[in-house]
Amino acid sequence: MIVTKQWLNEWIDISAIDTDKISIALNAIGLEVDGLTKIRIPQNVLIGHVVSCEKHPNADKLNVCHVDVGATVQQIVCGAKNVAAGQMVAVALIGAELPGGIKIKKAKLRDVESCGMICSSTELGLPKINDGIMILDESIGKLELGKPLCEYPLINDDVIEIGLTPNRGDCQSVYGVARDLSVYFDLEVKTLGQKEEEENQPGVGRVLHLHGSEALSGSYMYKVFDNKEIGVPLLVELRLGFAEVESSCLLGKLIDYATYVTGVLLRAYNQTCFGAKDDKAKITIAKDENGLDAIYGLNGQKIAIAGVAQMTECKASASDERIIIEANYTHPEIIASRSANKKLGADKHLYRSSRGSEPQLAFGLNYFFKMLNKRSKIMAYADSQQITQDFEAKIINIHQSDLTEMIGEEIPKNKIIKILKQLGFGVNFAFEQDVINVKIPQFRSDVINTQDICEEIVRIVGIDNIHSKPYSFAEKLKINQPYLNFKKRQMYRYRAVAAGFFETLHFVFGDSENAKKFHLPLLNEALEVANPITSELNTLRSSLLPNILNAVSNNLKFGKKRVALFEVGSVFDSERTESKKIAFVFSGENGIPEISNHGKPSKIDFFAFAEKIQSVLSNFTLLPLEEVNGLCSPYEAARVIIDGVEAGYMARVNVQVEKELDLDRTYICELDFEALSYKRKVAKEYSKLPSSSRDLSLLVDAKMQYSELESFITSIAPKALTKFAVIDRYVHESLGDKVSLTLTLQFQSLDKTFEEEEIASMVEALLSKIQEKFGITIR
């Protein structure tokens, strides 16, 4: 955003304030100054009047001009195409030194003496406004022959470049910057006087009919004028040049200037888009297919999208006879959200409208017509036609104590109220409740909470004016749920590494074809990944195992004989609900070649794999897994039960999958991470007395599940039975439909060492109850 000191001075009186102080003030209120350039016209450059202009006798492209500079009339040879008699121009006399090192001397051009130079804007260090000389008018001040141009403050100006953040759409105008700056210097913002409509002016209703649907999002105001001639003041062209706003059309320059000054989005339409000149222009505004307000003309043709784009053929120019001027405002969130990622042919308005334009539409239109009337010949129609949306101001209730806590210092209530009111906020203070009710103005769409209000106060008070305080170091409890989750993951990762597994990491994406092949849960079609990274990563994974198995396969292909991997990561169900799982895969040899195994370690088997998982999880129970997915062998598969809760499964990989992936014998285990135990360790009393153990070989029905026997023994076991487990299972044809199951029983007391008779008695009691329940006998 580029402004100048004199430009700002049109809205607030800063003539007595040094520009450097203005830059400091802008930085203090959050409008960071990126650059400051002081424009000064050189000495010996005067205002002159072209008395005559004749063709050079010896050159087709040169003119011989006689220029009155007050005290004398100078003969000057000029090559500009636009020079003509009667013009007021800038004349550099002999001895003048122009920017770029040009020194003006008496010279002869094709045998004709030239005593000076008629200057263009760029030759004086001003922005380029045309391809010829700069023609002066009284927009820069009263023109006096022979008066030095360095005495005209409107063009000897200080140009300030401001780096605006995207949220400060209210400062995308000269008026908006002046409004903010006025609060810092405690100045009053000037108002734009209302022009009284002439009594004999026809009303706009004679030439314009406006219709809008009920579902519109924005506000609109229209005025019409008949055009004879449009002129643009020199000062307007120079300032547009300073602001780097380019427009080749005279009408476009005035539209851009009024928008840049007021912040109100203005557009100009030619009459033919809405009807013939002698007919009423019929404008319809309604929602388009993208949910944005659109302007429709003849035959329902869409000619513009509010705040986004306008058809080129419908833009008015200075040559059109009847011109319709539109001012519009739509909340920036609506523009930004509904125009994002859509090819709408957006123009320069979108940058302003999506960040926040000025909602005072009448202000922008009145300023435009004020500038238009300065050098143009027009007939404006009285009044305007408009469609406006009711604006429900957001109210934020703030406690004085909350502000003090956020700022770190108490700001007096009257100062807070004054600052907010000067910034345009509505303020109502309830003294008995110590609450400030702040009404957010429409032009500050970026202010949404108490913190934003606090920021407004601090930037005006000045961060340097708030006293610093030493830090207060107070240790807070760091043990919270995220910390506990982290420690749990860390514990199980360390245990897995200690058990010989290597950690692996994969994308949360997987291959939907693999999920189908292995009968794993699939995402609902409506929730599938719209733009996958690759065809192999086209869905959110429902299991960690397919990716790990691919990693195992790749390792084995590199000559590894033994691969053990694990991963802790996120998986997703069919509704995209996320959960954490831990998975283990072990493939190949159970050990390394060494003397004890004669260099030929055995292959991993189910019990060896389960033992490794037990070293990670501690105690768990395995129960038969009736329904297996496509990854599991149906003959070696079990449910994993932890503390009575089913946590997942353990199985050998299906032989067909092993062949497809070139795997050796491979076992897998996948568990819900939330089901894994993570409790505070509690010390228990232990016996200092020796324990005694007994082994029992029982004849058990081959079809009986061990879990059933285990549960029964647990329920009837005496307190002295501290541990029991299966240590052998023997099958032989001589046993018929029975198997021999050998249990080891461990007895221990806190009070005494058991005698042989006591142990025998407890074993006999257990056997009796087991036989009574299941008919099991000793082998």
Side-chain angles (χ1 to χ4, degrees):
M1 180 67 195
I2 296 175
V3 297
T4 73
K5 180 181 177 180
Q6 295 299 329
W7 213 349
L8 291 171
N9 199 59
E10 292 181 359
W11 297 101
I12 53 175
D13 186 5
I14 54 173
S15 54
I17 304 174
D18 184 74
T19 307
D20 292 333
K21 289 184 178 180
I22 294 172
S23 296
I24 292 171
L26 289 169
N27 282 321
I29 62 177
L31 305 180
E32 185 176 349
V33 175
D34 288 344
L36 173 61
T37 305
K38 296 187 177 183
I39 305 296
R40 298 294 181 265
I41 306 298
Q43 298 292 326
N44 286 333
V45 179
L46 312 179
I47 292 179
H49 176 254
V50 181
V51 178
S52 65
C53 179
E54 299 176 354
K55 286 291 181 182
H56 193 291
N58 301 323
D60 293 336
K61 295 184 179 181
L62 297 178
N63 299 291
V64 180
C65 302
H66 290 87
V67 183
D68 185 356
V69 292
T72 61
V73 175
Q74 300 291 337
Q75 179 175 286
I76 299 175
V77 177
C78 179
K81 294 180 180 179
N82 64 330
V83 67
Q87 294 171 339
M88 300 296 285
V89 294
V91 181
L93 299 180
I94 294 171
E97 294 187 14
L98 303 184
I102 299 175
K103 294 182 179 180
I104 306 301
K105 300 177 181 179
K106 183 181 287 189
K108 276 192 176 183
L109 299 175
R110 296 288 181 93
D111 297 328
V112 175
E113 188 177 74
S114 181
C115 301
M117 184 172 75
I118 303 175
C119 301
S120 68
S121 60
T122 55
E123 289 166 338
L124 297 177
L126 297 169
K128 182 178 180 179
I129 58 174
N130 56 30
D131 293 326
I133 61 169
M134 180 173 67
I135 301 170
L136 306 179
D137 61 37
E138 295 202 342
S139 64
I140 65 171
K142 186 177 181 180
L143 301 180
E144 300 177 17
L145 284 178
K147 184 175 180 178
L149 272 180
C150 62
E151 296 180 11
Y152 284 81
L154 289 179
I155 56 174
N156 290 271
D157 208 350
D158 297 333
V159 181
I160 304 169
E161 183 178 356
I162 301 171
L164 278 183
T165 53
N167 65 309
R168 292 307 304 275
D170 60 301
C171 287
Q172 291 185 115
S173 64
V174 179
Y175 176 76
V177 175
R179 179 172 51 200
D180 250 33
L181 201 57
S182 69
V183 185
Y184 184 90
F185 289 118
D186 197 14
L187 298 171
E188 187 175 339
V189 181
K190 299 172 187 177
T191 57
L192 183 66
Q194 295 288 337
K195 180 182 179 296
E196 294 184 5
E197 305 284 0
E198 297 180 8
E199 292 184 3
N200 58 350
Q201 274 186 298
V204 72
R206 295 185 181 185
V207 294
L208 179 67
H209 174 74
L210 178 63
H211 173 73
S213 68
E214 295 181 358
L216 295 179
S217 302
S219 297
Y220 305 86
M221 183 176 288
Y222 293 86
K223 288 182 76 69
V224 182
F225 69 90
D226 288 340
N227 173 41
K228 293 183 181 179
E229 180 184 348
I230 291 178
V232 179
L234 172 63
L235 187 61
V236 169
E237 296 203 75
L238 288 175
R239 285 179 173 172
L240 286 175
F242 283 132
E244 301 176 357
V245 177
E246 297 181 2
S247 181
S248 58
C249 168
L250 294 178
L251 177 62
K253 289 180 179 180
L254 291 174
I255 288 284
D256 290 342
Y257 187 81
T259 296
Y260 197 87
V261 172
T262 65
V264 177
L265 296 182
L266 299 175
R267 281 200 177 120
Y269 300 92
N270 58 50
Q271 165 79 20
T272 56
C273 291
F274 305 103
K277 179 186 175 184
D278 297 331
D279 298 333
K280 270 190 179 183
K282 296 180 180 179
I283 300 177
T284 301
I285 308 176
K287 292 283 186 186
D288 69 359
E289 65 278 7
N290 297 308
L292 291 163
D293 292 358
I295 291 84
Y296 295 88
L298 284 175
N299 303 317
Q301 183 184 16
K302 182 164 68 173
I303 62 174
I305 303 172
V308 178
Q310 179 185 9
M311 287 179 59
T312 304
E313 55 268 29
C314 291
K315 293 180 180 179
S317 67
S319 60
D320 291 321
E321 294 183 20
R322 179 168 291 167
I323 297 170
I324 300 168
I325 304 297
E326 172 195 87
N328 68 78
Y329 172 81
T330 306
H331 195 283
E333 284 188 8
I334 296 174
I335 296 290
S337 61
R338 297 181 186 176
S339 64
N341 302 320
K342 295 183 176 68
K343 297 179 180 179
L344 303 176
D347 56 27
K348 56 190 175 184
H349 272 202
L350 179 60
Y351 183 87
R352 287 181 173 273
S353 61
S354 62
R355 285 160 176 78
S357 58
E358 175 61 48
Q360 298 182 64
L361 304 185
F363 171 54
L365 281 175
N366 291 340
Y367 187 86
F368 168 76
F369 276 91
K370 178 182 176 181
M371 300 307 301
L372 184 66
N373 285 319
K374 285 188 175 180
R375 292 198 60 190
S376 303
K377 296 177 182 178
I378 66 164
M379 195 281 288
Y381 289 85
D383 300 324
S384 62
Q385 290 204 9
Q386 57 188 332
I387 296 173
T388 57
Q389 306 300 322
D390 293 332
F391 169 67
E392 185 177 347
K394 182 176 182 178
I395 297 176
I396 299 176
N397 299 321
I398 308 171
H399 287 271
Q400 174 77 11
S401 56
D402 292 339
L403 283 177
T404 301
E405 185 177 352
M406 281 187 278
I407 297 171
E409 183 175 315
E410 184 174 355
I411 308 297
K413 299 182 186 69
N414 57 347
K415 189 171 185 177
I416 291 174
I417 293 171
K418 182 180 179 181
I419 289 172
L420 292 176
K421 284 185 175 180
Q422 286 180 316
L423 287 171
F425 293 81
V427 182
N428 179 31
F429 185 71
F431 286 94
E432 66 281 359
Q433 298 177 353
D434 195 35
V435 174
I436 303 174
N437 303 312
V438 182
K439 184 182 291 185
I440 311 302
Q442 194 172 5
F443 62 83
R444 290 304 304 272
S445 57
D446 60 307
V447 178
I448 58 175
N449 54 37
T450 304
Q451 288 76 13
D452 292 331
I453 298 292
C454 179
E455 182 183 354
E456 294 298 302
I457 296 166
V458 170
R459 71 186 183 91
I460 301 300
V461 171
I463 192 68
D464 294 333
N465 297 323
I466 296 174
H467 298 92
S468 59
K469 294 181 180 180
Y471 283 114
S472 175
F473 293 97
E475 186 72 19
K476 291 186 177 180
L477 181 63
K478 295 181 179 178
I479 299 177
N480 51 25
Q481 194 56 48
Y483 174 79
L484 294 175
N485 293 341
F486 164 74
K487 294 299 289 185
K488 179 180 178 180
R489 286 195 300 273
Q490 185 184 61
M491 181 188 78
Y492 281 102
R493 289 170 61 224
Y494 285 175
R495 286 186 181 180
V497 171
F501 290 91
F502 289 85
E503 186 170 15
T504 182
L505 295 173
H506 295 90
F507 286 118
V508 295
F509 301 105
D511 188 345
S512 59
E513 291 302 317
N514 277 343
K516 292 176 184 176
K517 181 169 67 175
F518 299 140
H519 307 295
L520 298 173
L522 295 170
L523 278 179
N524 286 341
E525 189 174 346
L527 300 175
E528 274 290 5
V529 179
N531 188 21
I533 301 171
T534 66
S535 58
E536 289 80 21
L537 299 172
N538 56 11
T539 189
L540 291 171
R541 65 186 179 186
S542 58
S543 171
L544 303 175
L545 291 171
N547 287 340
I548 303 178
L549 285 171
N550 283 329
V552 170
S553 176
N554 291 334
N555 277 274
L556 292 173
K557 288 174 183 176
F558 279 106
K560 300 288 185 182
K561 301 294 185 182
R562 175 178 183 269
V563 180
L565 300 179
F566 82 96
E567 181 175 358
V568 181
S570 296
V571 297
F572 301 83
D573 65 12
S574 60
E575 299 299 324
R576 273 198 177 185
T577 303
E578 183 179 358
S579 61
K580 281 276 190 297
K581 287 198 176 184
I582 183 169
F584 302 86
V585 177
F586 196 111
S587 181
E589 297 174 349
N590 189 27
I592 59 175
E594 54 189 1
I595 295 175
S596 62
N597 56 32
H598 306 290
K600 295 181 179 180
S602 61
K603 300 290 185 182
I604 188 73
D605 58 34
F606 187 89
F607 291 105
F609 181 67
E611 185 178 355
K612 293 181 182 296
I613 301 302
Q614 185 179 29
S615 66
V616 178
L617 305 183
S618 296
N619 293 328
F620 59 85
T621 301
L622 295 178
L623 295 178
L625 179 62
E626 303 297 338
E627 296 183 6
V628 297
N629 56 38
L631 288 172
C632 301
S633 166
Y635 308 109
E636 294 183 74
R639 293 180 291 148
V640 179
I641 310 298
I642 300 175
D643 294 334
V645 177
E646 185 171 340
Y649 66 90
M650 183 187 303
R652 181 180 174 179
V653 172
N654 191 295
V655 175
Q656 186 62 37
V657 176
E658 287 181 347
K659 290 180 180 179
E660 289 178 6
L661 296 177
D662 294 327
L663 299 175
D664 204 336
R665 184 186 295 174
T666 304
Y667 288 86
I668 57 176
C669 177
E670 186 169 45
L671 308 167
D672 291 328
F673 197 72
E674 292 298 322
L676 305 190
S677 175
Y678 185 70
K679 299 175 182 177
R680 178 176 294 181
K681 294 179 181 178
V682 179
K684 294 182 180 179
E685 185 180 6
Y686 67 94
S687 177
K688 297 180 181 180
L689 301 173
S691 62
S692 300
S693 60
R694 295 290 183 272
D695 293 341
L696 289 178
S697 292
L698 305 175
L699 284 176
V700 181
D701 192 330
K703 296 182 179 180
M704 183 179 180
Q705 297 291 337
Y706 169 70
S707 58
E708 190 177 353
L709 177 60
E710 180 185 42
S711 297
F712 180 71
I713 294 175
T714 302
S715 65
I716 64 168
K719 185 178 179 180
L721 181 61
T722 57
K723 184 191 297 184
F724 67 95
V726 177
I727 59 172
D728 185 45
R729 184 175 184 270
Y730 176 71
V731 179
H732 193 269
E733 59 183 13
S734 63
L735 300 177
D737 58 355
K738 304 285 185 179
V739 296
S740 174
L741 205 64
T742 302
L743 302 181
T744 182
L745 308 176
Q746 182 174 308
F747 298 92
Q748 190 175 28
S749 172
L750 295 172
D751 305 320
K752 63 177 182 175
T753 301
F754 287 117
E755 299 290 340
E756 184 66 30
E757 294 80 4
E758 292 175 304
I759 295 174
S761 175
M762 287 187 285
V763 171
E764 189 65 32
L766 275 174
L767 283 172
S768 175
K769 292 178 180 179
I770 291 172
Q771 185 176 10
E772 182 181 346
K773 176 70 175 177
F774 301 107
I776 295 174
T777 60
I778 295 178
R779 179 184 169 193

